[in-house]
Amino acid sequence: KQRKTAKEQLAVLDKDGKVVMELAGVSGTQVDFKPGQLNEIGKIPGATMIHTHPDDHSFSMSDMGVGISKGIVNQEVVTPDHVFKFSTNKKYTSQDANKFAEDYDKTVSSLSRKYAPKIKQGSMSLKQANVIVSHEANTIVSKKWGFNYSMEKR
């Protein structure tokens, strides 16, 4: 369950659902990892990394990129209104992570151009557009890269 906070919060659960790590966010958009922590999370068999996004956005490119580059194959983002899930059983290289970042950036840019007129006309707020763009981008890149991605209403 998401804590009432303006900062991101993160927990890592082992395969049995036991909390093995908790980190407090340094801002509304970032958790501060110590050197090597991400690599350690990737080595926990069946681990799930769960963190909050107080602004209701789905996974960022950075969130998904961590999954690819560090082997953290189960992730969830909990927001005030949604739970987003990402998983994969594939192994990726650092080159894959770089290519993924390029694909993600291109997808977000394209979708942002699609919604810009609605923002300009006032039929959609910037916040609404950002939520939609992040979800649509993750849906598109997940299909392309073979990830399991979903969004559930809370």
Side-chain angles (χ1 to χ4, degrees):
K1 185 174 179 177
Q2 181 176 4
R3 296 178 183 146
K4 300 287 184 193
T5 178
K7 295 181 180 181
E8 281 194 15
Q9 303 291 311
L10 181 137
V12 178
L13 307 168
D14 67 14
K15 65 181 177 352
D16 298 320
K18 179 182 173 192
V19 176
V20 294
M21 183 184 299
E22 285 187 278
L23 297 171
V26 295
S27 72
T29 60
Q30 184 179 356
V31 172
D32 193 18
F33 290 96
K34 294 177 184 162
Q37 266 183 322
L38 286 171
N39 290 329
E40 291 305 312
I41 295 168
K43 293 176 185 175
I44 301 169
T48 299
M49 185 168 74
I50 302 171
H51 70 281
T52 61
H53 279 183
D55 59 6
D56 208 36
H57 286 197
S58 181
F59 293 96
S60 66
M61 188 280 298
S62 178
D63 295 334
M64 294 181 90
V66 163
I68 293 169
S69 65
K70 303 299 182 184
I72 304 168
V73 298
N74 299 303
Q75 293 190 57
E76 295 182 17
V77 167
V78 180
T79 74
D81 297 323
H82 299 93
V83 176
F84 299 94
K85 296 180 179 183
F86 157 82
S87 66
T88 183
N89 57 9
K90 297 181 180 183
K91 300 288 183 194
Y92 296 96
T93 66
S94 59
Q95 289 176 329
D96 291 330
N98 292 336
K99 178 66 175 141
F100 169 80
E102 290 174 21
D103 286 349
Y104 191 92
D105 283 343
K106 286 178 187 175
T107 303
V108 168
S109 292
S110 174
L111 290 168
S112 295
R113 286 190 300 275
K114 173 183 169 182
Y115 289 102
K118 292 182 180 191
I119 297 167
K120 190 173 184 176
Q121 295 165 356
S123 62
M124 178 181 282
S125 71
L126 180 58
K127 180 181 177 182
Q128 289 170 320
N130 285 336
V131 171
I132 291 169
V133 166
S134 67
H135 174 61
E136 287 186 13
N138 288 328
T139 300
I140 291 166
V141 297
S142 292
K143 285 180 184 173
K144 181 175 181 177
W145 282 80
F147 306 151
N148 299 309
Y149 169 78
S150 65
M151 175 182 77
E152 300 169 8
K153 187 85 171 145
R154 290 184 68 190

